[in-house]
Amino acid sequence: MEEMDRPEGSVPERGEEQPEAPLPLPPAFLEFLSENGLDPAVYSTAATIPRYIRLKPGMESQIAEIEGELKCGLEKVSWLPGFYAIPPEVQIAGTKAYQQGKIYGIDAASGAAILALDVQPGDHVLDLCAAPGAKLCMLADMLGSTGSLTGIDVAKHRLSACRTMLQKYSLGDRTRLFVADGTLFSILPVNSNLRRMEGSIDLEESGSTFSEWTSRRTWKDRQKAKKANATGSQHLLAPSEPELIYYGKHSGLVGLRKSDVLCPAVNDEACTSGYDKVLVDAECTHDGSIKHIQKFEFWGWKTLDRRVLDAERTDNLLQLQLNLLSNGFRLLKTGGSLVYSTCSLTVAQNENVVQQFLSTQPSADLRKLGLANTWPCRSGGIPKTLRFDPVTSQTSGLFVAKFSKLST
């Protein structure tokens, strides 16, 4: 799970700090656990699970100084480079190390899912569910000064927070961010065929080119924001067409024509011009994240009923997960790799989604994760899949499956 900056007074995001306490689980949630074959005892481990942070590469010489600020030691996570464990009650948001972008909070299991992608220099990487941003930052770190990173999220306010985080950690240079529905997004990396001139998304000036990105908004954008604030719709979900809200200086867009870059993929074009790596950390019920479930003590357990336990929402969620996985795979280049993950402990949102996906995708090959030989995790219900959980792994719960795309 991730931690990030948020405006004062806003709703806490997934993975954010809250006081540790035993969870008085309500009957409705206990019923949810029972229906999914899950042991409620896992939620009694909250006080024993460390908090994890990732150190920005190049900051190793400042570990002693950071330990002084946090008033605790940083315990190196032996199986995950750059990660450190700290006591669960330690808060990082008020420290200079956090505010200056030297560290950020991200659960070790989430870090393992990103490591499983095996991002290489020059790769074009797609994060289909990018908010709140810690995974995006780690992917950008792994890419370094080559390739490109595309982040997608359906909620503009959450993706705007990703933009802030990338800028804070100076990691946005090769990144572009689109507010879009991840089940429908179809814009390929800049390395795709730029000769196409038709089919571009809603552009008034199809011949205009990208200049360097600036945070200064145009008059038209200011009027749209003013209207959204007046109607209380500033947190609306994605528009019908992708909205580009950020691109770095070396993301490949500067100087290119908008009509070429923003043209959606056609037919099987992605097989040759798609993304090398795709991460689908899908929306889920978050029941594997003890810290997330803890927050419902503050939000109210009725909110849990509405957000997690509502039967209609759960059914829709399963279809959403399958659609996200399917679209991410559609945008993957032949020979490329995709990692699907959720922080749910349920079989329905993990193994069942994978089985349904494989039954409809003959070019999808489920791959064994060799790195997992040294990871504190267990096998999932399908061979080659993995599960992290609070008891086995001393992390949040996370399901991980990796696929490659075969030539058909």
Side-chain angles (χ1 to χ4, degrees):
M1 301 304 97
E2 303 181 18
E3 298 174 27
M4 58 170 290
D5 305 311
R6 66 179 177 89
E8 185 177 350
S10 64
V11 176
E13 294 285 359
R14 176 171 128 191
E16 195 177 22
E17 299 160 325
Q18 295 291 349
E20 303 287 353
L23 289 179
L25 300 173
F29 188 60
L30 291 172
E31 184 179 349
F32 168 84
L33 297 178
S34 176
E35 289 173 352
N36 286 279
L38 302 176
D39 185 357
V42 72
Y43 297 94
S44 66
T45 63
T48 67
I49 300 173
R51 181 178 300 281
Y52 293 95
I53 60 172
R54 186 168 189 266
L55 189 67
K56 185 174 172 64
M59 295 293 167
E60 291 78 9
S61 62
Q62 300 188 37
I63 287 179
E65 181 181 336
I66 294 170
E67 287 178 327
E69 289 183 34
L70 296 177
K71 296 182 172 57
C72 70
L74 301 187
E75 183 182 345
K76 194 169 185 177
V77 178
S78 61
W79 54 276
L80 197 60
F83 277 71
Y84 295 82
I86 59 177
E89 69 276 7
V90 173
Q91 299 192 3
I92 67 173
T95 66
K96 286 184 179 179
Y98 179 77
Q99 293 165 357
Q100 294 174 356
K102 298 176 184 177
I103 60 173
Y104 54 87
I106 177 172
D107 192 78
S110 294
I114 296 167
L115 202 63
L117 260 184
D118 190 27
V119 171
Q120 298 296 318
D123 277 347
H124 295 283
V125 182
L126 173 65
D127 184 352
L128 205 55
C129 308
K135 300 186 305 297
L136 202 66
C137 286
M138 183 172 172
L139 287 168
D141 261 339
M142 294 172 71
L143 265 182
S145 58
T146 60
S148 70
L149 176 60
T150 300
I152 311 299
D153 204 84
V154 72
K156 186 172 183 176
H157 69 289
R158 285 169 58 83
L159 197 65
S160 296
C162 289
R163 179 178 61 199
T164 299
M165 199 171 185
L166 286 169
Q167 292 172 313
K168 171 182 174 180
Y169 292 102
S170 302
L171 290 170
D173 193 45
R174 310 191 76 83
T175 303
R176 55 185 189 164
L177 300 176
F178 288 94
V179 181
D181 182 342
T183 68
L184 300 174
F185 182 76
S186 61
I187 295 174
L188 296 180
V190 175
N191 70 329
S192 59
N193 184 2
L194 295 179
R195 291 175 297 175
R196 295 171 301 168
M197 293 300 296
E198 297 180 358
S200 60
I201 63 173
D202 191 20
L203 293 170
E204 293 180 358
E205 298 178 51
S206 60
S208 62
T209 60
F210 286 102
S211 55
E212 286 192 28
W213 184 84
T214 173
S215 59
R216 293 184 63 185
R217 294 183 296 176
T218 65
W219 179 87
K220 184 178 179 181
D221 287 337
R222 290 197 300 271
Q223 293 303 306
K224 282 170 107 177
K226 185 177 179 181
K227 183 178 180 181
N229 287 328
T231 59
S233 59
Q234 62 268 38
H235 286 179
L236 285 178
L237 299 184
S240 57
E241 299 288 357
E243 179 185 356
L244 181 65
I245 67 164
Y246 175 78
Y247 55 93
K249 184 177 181 180
H250 295 105
S251 61
L253 271 61
V254 177
L256 295 181
R257 292 204 296 191
K258 294 179 179 180
S259 58
D260 292 343
V261 172
L262 302 177
C263 189
V266 294
N267 300 325
D268 295 328
E269 187 180 4
C271 291
T272 55
S273 302
Y275 295 90
D276 301 285
K277 307 288 165 61
V278 175
L279 177 66
V280 182
D281 185 38
E283 174 64 22
C284 68
T285 51
H286 306 291
D287 54 89
S289 172
I290 294 177
K291 287 183 173 62
H292 186 84
I293 297 301
Q294 265 187 319
K295 287 185 286 188
F296 287 102
E297 286 191 274
F298 298 87
W299 289 338
W301 291 115
K302 287 185 178 180
T303 310
L304 177 71
D305 291 345
R306 188 178 72 252
R307 290 192 180 184
V308 177
L309 307 179
D310 179 74
E312 183 178 351
R313 182 190 182 278
T314 302
D315 289 343
N316 292 338
L317 189 60
L318 298 175
Q319 189 60 52
L320 172 65
Q321 291 161 342
L322 179 60
N323 291 346
L324 285 168
L325 175 53
S326 299
N327 193 46
F329 190 76
R330 183 180 69 86
L331 296 171
L332 186 67
K333 180 190 291 186
T334 298
S337 299
L338 179 150
V339 165
Y340 172 77
S341 62
T342 85
C343 62
S344 174
L345 299 173
T346 68
V347 171
Q349 297 175 65
N350 297 306
E351 285 90 348
N352 288 1
V353 170
V354 167
Q355 285 181 323
Q356 194 171 354
F357 168 72
L358 287 172
S359 70
T360 61
Q361 297 287 344
S363 61
D365 182 32
L366 189 59
R367 303 298 300 271
K368 181 180 179 181
L369 286 165
L371 287 170
N373 292 334
T374 61
W375 291 352
C377 57
R378 57 187 175 86
S379 177
I382 299 175
K384 302 179 184 177
T385 63
L386 300 176
R387 279 186 174 274
F388 291 82
D389 68 70
V391 176
T392 304
S393 316
Q394 285 285 283
T395 66
S396 285
L398 197 78
F399 172 87
V400 182
K402 182 176 182 178
F403 306 88
S404 64
K405 193 173 199 176
L406 304 175
S407 177
T408 55

